Amino acid sequence: MAAKNERSSIKPLPLAERAHMALDGAAIDAARRSLDDGAVTPSYGPWRQDIIKLLNDSLATELVCVLRYKRHHFTADGLASPKIAEEFLVHANEESGHADRLARRIVQLGGEPDFSPDSLTKRSHAAYDDASDLKAMIKANLIAERVAIETYSQIIALIGDKDATTRRLLEDILSDEQGHADELKDWLAD
Ligand SMILES: [Fe+2]
Ligand SMILES: [Fe+2]
């Protein structure tokens, strides 16, 4: 009975007091100008530089991951599992694809992708590794993938609804990193 009373006490707002879903005409007019901003229009909000910085740190992470996987691919070649050595190359190429997609989005947002080798390891979330033992390589890669998963998850949460295109891109990359971590975990158990 109580629930029924609660429900009946809620009265709809009179029509005139309801908030309307209305577009911002001034912002649409502003989008007709500032053509140098390309894909970035007034509704983007004040987050552009912050998001470009987060994307550049992720770009550094992907580039370090390419280098680590390449190093492991070439040096694991003669070790116990040639199949895993081949898979390191597959991962290296996928991380390289991630780096390209991040760089493209940075440019689309009006930023500059930072490929500077001098600061790469400082900016990267994940570490380089030159282990010579196959198990140690797999472990280093699993740690790096888990770091990437955690940082992409945090960045996606920070972006929220501030930039849907970047969020979708990062969600896509995140699911690849989760696939990589799954594979590495299986190899570590073998
Ligand atoms: Fe990646
Ligand atoms: Fe990965």
Side-chain angles (χ1 to χ4, degrees):
M1 284 306 278
K4 193 180 173 197
N5 286 342
E6 269 169 37
R7 228 182 0 255
S8 60
S9 70
I10 299 170
K11 300 228 162 32
L13 278 173
L15 208 56
E17 289 175 33
R18 288 186 206 169
H20 293 287
M21 292 174 71
L23 296 176
D24 180 348
I28 295 171
D29 281 343
R32 295 192 172 92
R33 303 183 292 272
S34 310
L35 301 186
D36 285 348
D37 286 341
V40 181
T41 64
S43 68
Y44 191 82
W47 321 102
R48 177 158 40 162
Q49 292 310 323
D50 286 345
I51 290 177
I52 288 170
K53 162 83 168 62
L54 290 167
L55 290 175
N56 257 321
D57 291 347
S58 298
L59 173 61
T61 304
E62 295 291 352
L63 294 171
V64 167
C65 288
V66 172
L67 297 174
R68 192 189 58 256
Y69 274 124
K70 286 253 185 183
R71 156 82 192 198
H72 288 175
H73 164 67
F74 287 108
T75 55
D77 212 17
L79 298 180
S81 178
K83 189 180 155 288
I84 291 180
E86 276 313 302
E87 283 298 318
F88 285 157
L89 183 60
V90 172
H91 285 203
N93 290 334
E94 287 176 358
E95 310 304 8
S96 176
H98 295 163
D100 290 351
R101 293 177 72 186
L102 292 168
R104 200 169 294 122
R105 182 61 182 156
I106 290 167
V107 171
Q108 202 171 44
L109 290 175
E112 292 189 6
D114 190 348
F115 285 88
S116 168
D118 289 344
S119 57
L120 213 51
T121 48
K122 271 191 224 81
R123 292 181 292 115
S124 169
H125 303 122
Y128 180 72
D129 176 80
D130 57 4
S132 50
D133 166 80
L134 190 63
K135 268 251 166 0
M137 290 178 193
I138 297 170
K139 193 174 170 203
N141 288 318
L142 180 54
I143 292 170
E145 294 290 355
R146 286 175 52 78
V147 167
I149 289 166
E150 180 58 27
T151 49
Y152 279 126
S153 301
Q154 289 190 20
I155 295 169
I156 288 164
L158 284 171
I159 290 178
D161 59 2
K162 295 179 183 71
D163 178 340
T165 304
T166 299
R167 193 188 63 231
R168 278 198 303 273
L169 166 63
L170 297 180
E171 285 170 346
D172 212 22
I173 294 176
L174 171 63
S175 81
D176 286 349
E177 311 303 12
Q178 288 168 337
H180 292 168
D182 252 355
E183 283 179 328
L184 290 159
K185 179 176 165 282
D186 289 345
W187 300 340
L188 205 56
D190 285 346

